Amino acid sequence: QVQLVESGGGLVQPGGSLRLSCVASVNISSIYVMGWYRQAPGKQRELVATITSGGTTNYADSVKGRFTISRDKAKKSADLQMNDLKPEDTAFYYCSAAYNGGGYWGQGTQVTVSS
């Protein structure tokens, strides 16, 4: 089993930046895929970005060129750098991990983009 703890959310103006961090309770080299998803009020949870243990990344079209996902083995984390944020990026952001045949979620962190 793995626990995931997210941090870094908050309120930011349009065009601003935030960096989300997801710290895992296990060595992330053993986690095949880590990712970030988001859910806005009244909408389904959607993929934002994923990264495999080999470093292969995948992004939603809506965030390509603005968001970057990365893994830090020393910190046991998967981070999401979000630049040029837009009001439509407002959502609850969740970290996910595929580990030992199971899927795990963190508790989430709120990101609000508003002037």
Side-chain angles (χ1 to χ4, degrees):
Q1 197 170 13
V2 60
Q3 282 76 48
L4 304 170
V5 179
E6 301 99 331
S7 62
L11 173 64
V12 64
Q13 292 186 342
S17 298
L18 280 176
R19 187 176 183 88
L20 305 183
S21 183
C22 170
V23 177
S25 60
V26 300
N27 184 339
I28 65 169
S29 295
S30 61
I31 300 176
Y32 175 59
V33 181
M34 295 187 75
W36 286 93
Y37 291 72
R38 66 188 181 188
Q39 187 167 18
K43 294 188 176 181
Q44 289 188 329
R45 191 174 298 190
E46 63 176 6
L47 167 75
V48 177
T50 61
I51 184 167
T52 69
S53 55
T56 299
T57 58
N58 181 50
Y59 296 93
D61 287 343
S62 59
V63 308
K64 282 181 181 176
R66 300 188 298 123
F67 292 11
T68 302
I69 190 170
S70 59
R71 292 166 72 122
D72 188 321
K73 290 181 180 179
K75 290 171 51 184
K76 296 196 295 183
S77 71
D79 298 339
L80 185 68
Q81 177 66 41
M82 305 186 295
N83 299 327
D84 189 24
L85 282 159
K86 305 176 185 298
E88 52 264 40
D89 295 317
T90 295
F92 215 73
Y93 283 69
Y94 296 90
C95 178
S96 70
Y99 173 74
N100 273 1
Y104 299 89
W105 295 93
Q107 293 299 307
T109 185
Q110 176 69 41
V111 171
T112 303
V113 184
S114 175
S115 55

